[in-house]
Amino acid sequence: MAAKTIISFSSLALTMTLIAISPTSYAAQYNVASFGATAGGRTDSSNAFLRAWASACSSMGPSTVYIPKGTFYVKSAAFNGPCRSSSITFRIDGTLLAPSNYMVIGNSGNWIIFRQVSRLNVYGGILNGRGPSLWACKATGKSCPIGATNLQFSNSNNVLVSGLRSVNSQMFHIVVSGSRNVKFQSIKISAPETSPNTDGIHIEHSMGITVLNSMMGTGDDCISIGPGASNIWVENVACGPGHGISIGSLGKDSIEQGVQNVTVKTVTFTGTQNGVRIKSWARPSTGFVRNILFQHAAMKDVQNPIIIDQNYCPSNNGCPNKASGIKITDVAYRDIHGTSATEVAVKFDCSSMNPCKNINLQNVKLTYGNKVARASCTNARGRASGFVQPSSCL
C-alpha cells in the first residue's frame, strides 16, 4: 500500500511539472553578451548576467536568458523573483566559472541561486565551482570557509533543469530548499572521491522533486534527502564514487520535520561507501521517516549496500550517544542485488527508543566475494519475502 501511495504522489507531481513548464517558441531572448558579458574566464560578468535576468524577469511574456559558447567568469549571481514573465528559460551553451580564490564566495553559502522563481527552465551548460583549493585548505585542518553551493533553488516552483553539468563545487553541488515541483533530468555531477561535503543534489523542505537519467560521482552523498522533504522520485541514476543515496542525516535538531513518500529505483552504485541509506543522529527529535521504497538497485563493491544508521556520527567525536527520536516506519527494499565490499551487507541499527517498524525485504541478493554475506539487526522489526540473501535478521 505504501508503494502505491508514493507512486501516485510522484506521478502527480511529475505531470504537474511537465504541464507547468512546457517550453515556448516565441520567447523574447536576452543574450548576456549584449549586456556586457565577456568570454575568456577573466572578466567578471556577474552584472551582465543580472541585467539580462532583470530584463527577462520583467518581460511581459515568456523570455530567455542566453549564455553563448565560451567561458564566463561569474563572481556570484542571485537571480531573484517573483517575475512578471510567464516563464523564463535559462539556456547555457557555455561554461560558468567561479572565483579562483575560495575566500570570495566561501562564506556566502552559494555561488549561483534562484530565489522565488516560478516556471523556470534551465538547459545545458557547465558550472565549474573551482573547489580544489578550498578542499586543500580543509585537508590541512586550518580554519577555512565552509564553502559555497554551485547552484541553489530556494522557494521556487515548477522548475526544470536538463542537461546541466556541475563540476568541483566547493561544497554541495545543487540544493533544493522550500520548493515544489522541481525536475532534474540528464544531469552530470562530478567531484573527486576525496572532496569533502560535495553532495550531488541535496533536497530539504521541498515536495514533488524528481531526479531522472543522471550520473553523479562525488566525495559525499550522490543525493541527500533532508528534513521536510516529501514526494521525492529518483530513477535511473548512476552513483559512484560517493556515499550513496541517503535520507538524512536527520535528528540534528530536536524539533524537525519528517521525510515521507520517497521512491528510489533503477539505481547503480559503483564503489560507493553506502548504497541506500537512512541516517540519523542519536538524540531526541520530533522527526520521522515513512513510506520509502528502494527498488531495482544494483550494487558493485559497495561497503554498506543496505543500511539504516540511527547512531550516525561521522567523525566519532562528540557523538550524542542517546536514543534517536527519529521514527522510521514502512521502508521497502525490493530487488536489491550485487556485491558488498564488507561482510555485513544489510545493517539495520535502529533506535532503542523508537525501533524501526515494518521494514520489508523482498528479492534481495547480495554477496561478499566468495563468502556468505551477513545481515545485522538491532531494534528492527519487519519481514522478508521471496529470495533474500543474506538471510534476513528481521
Side-chain angles (χ1 to χ4, degrees), residues 68-115:
K69 293 181 180 179
T71 299
F72 296 87
Y73 167 49
V74 177
K75 182 178 178 181
S76 64
F79 301 109
N80 296 321
C83 291
R84 184 180 185 181
S85 177
S86 57
S87 66
I88 300 179
T89 295
F90 204 90
R91 185 175 297 276
I92 310 171
D93 281 346
T95 297
L96 276 57
L97 198 62
S100 57
N101 181 354
Y102 59 78
M103 292 299 298
V104 175
I105 59 172
N107 288 311
S108 65
N110 51 70
W111 171 34
I112 296 169
I113 184 170
F114 291 89
R115 295 192 186 99

Side-chain angles (χ1 to χ4, degrees), residues 301-302 338-343 345 366-373 389:
D301 295 322
V302 174
T339 57
S340 173
T342 60
E343 185 178 359
L366 295 167
T367 59
Y368 170 53
N370 294 322
K371 303 177 182 178
V372 177
Q389 179 184 324

Side-chain angles (χ1 to χ4, degrees), residues 7-321:
I7 291 172
S8 63
F9 273 120
S10 300
S11 298
L12 176 60
L14 177 58
T15 300
M16 290 173 62
T17 301
L18 291 174
I19 292 173
I21 57 180
S22 297
T24 56
S25 59
Y26 53 89
Q29 181 168 291
Y30 301 92
N31 189 325
V32 295
S34 301
F35 291 82
T38 304
R42 295 185 178 184
T43 304
D44 182 15
S45 294
S46 301
N47 288 335
F49 275 59
L50 293 174
R51 287 194 294 268
W53 172 262
S55 296
C57 185
S58 60
S59 177
M60 286 289 291
S63 58
T64 296
V65 174
Y66 178 63
I67 297 91
K69 293 181 180 179
T71 299
F72 296 87
Y73 167 49
V74 177
K75 182 178 178 181
S76 64
F79 301 109
N80 296 321
C83 291
R84 184 180 185 181
S85 177
S86 57
S87 66
I88 300 179
T89 295
F90 204 90
R91 185 175 297 276
I92 310 171
D93 281 346
T95 297
L96 276 57
L97 198 62
S100 57
N101 181 354
Y102 59 78
M103 292 299 298
V104 175
I105 59 172
N107 288 311
S108 65
N110 51 70
W111 171 34
I112 296 169
I113 184 170
F114 291 89
R115 295 192 186 99
Q116 294 185 306
V117 180
S118 295
R119 300 174 66 88
L120 171 69
N121 306 287
V122 180
Y123 292 120
I126 299 172
L127 306 181
N128 187 341
R130 285 177 150 179
S133 60
L134 176 59
W135 309 334
C137 175
K138 290 182 176 182
T140 65
K142 298 179 182 178
S143 178
C144 311
I146 188 171
T149 291
N150 262 8
L151 176 63
Q152 181 169 352
F153 298 94
S154 176
N155 298 304
S156 295
N157 303 319
N158 300 326
V159 177
L160 170 65
V161 183
S162 180
L164 179 73
R165 183 178 179 189
S166 178
V167 180
N168 291 342
S169 182
Q170 288 187 359
M171 200 178 171
F172 294 177
H173 282 257
I174 299 174
V175 170
V176 182
S177 62
S179 299
R180 293 191 174 197
N181 295 341
V182 180
K183 179 183 178 183
F184 298 94
Q185 65 181 22
S186 303
I187 304 298
K188 186 173 183 180
I189 293 174
S190 57
E193 186 174 8
T194 55
S195 58
N197 302 117
T198 52
D199 295 48
I201 298 177
H202 177 70
I203 303 163
E204 62 182 21
H205 304 294
S206 299
M207 69 179 299
I209 313 302
T210 304
V211 182
L212 301 176
N213 308 323
S214 296
M215 300 175 62
M216 303 177 194
T218 74
D220 211 298
D221 295 321
C222 292
I223 298 173
S224 56
I225 300 170
S230 64
N231 303 344
I232 311 300
W233 189 281
V234 176
E235 184 173 5
N236 196 24
V237 169
C239 173
H243 294 181
I245 293 180
S246 296
I247 295 175
S249 60
L250 305 176
K252 184 176 181 180
D253 300 318
S254 59
I255 299 177
E256 188 175 85
Q257 293 182 345
V259 175
Q260 60 186 329
N261 300 340
V262 177
T263 294
V264 176
K265 64 184 299 185
T266 317
V267 178
T268 300
F269 299 90
T270 304
T272 51
Q273 184 185 87
N274 308 284
V276 288
R277 173 169 63 159
I278 299 173
K279 55 178 176 174
S280 73
W281 293 87
R283 59 164 64 97
S285 176
T286 60
F288 61 83
V289 176
R290 63 188 178 216
N291 291 343
I292 311 298
L293 174 62
F294 298 115
Q295 186 175 28
H296 306 320
M299 308 287 174
K300 299 179 181 179
D301 295 322
V302 174
Q303 292 181 38
N304 303 293
I306 294 175
I307 181 170
I308 296 178
D309 180 6
Q310 292 204 260
N311 290 286
Y312 177 71
C313 188
S315 63
N316 292 317
N317 182 25
C319 301
N321 294 323

Side-chain angles (χ1 to χ4, degrees), residues 276 294 306 308 331-334 336 348 359-362 364:
V276 288
F294 298 115
I306 294 175
I308 296 178
V331 183
Y333 302 88
R334 299 176 182 167
I336 313 294
F348 298 130
I359 307 300
N360 294 293
L361 295 171
Q362 181 179 11
V364 173

Side-chain angles (χ1 to χ4, degrees), residues 333-353:
Y333 302 88
R334 299 176 182 167
D335 183 28
I336 313 294
H337 59 275
T339 57
S340 173
T342 60
E343 185 178 359
V344 179
V346 177
K347 184 177 181 179
F348 298 130
D349 184 11
C350 299
S351 170
S352 58
M353 180 177 293

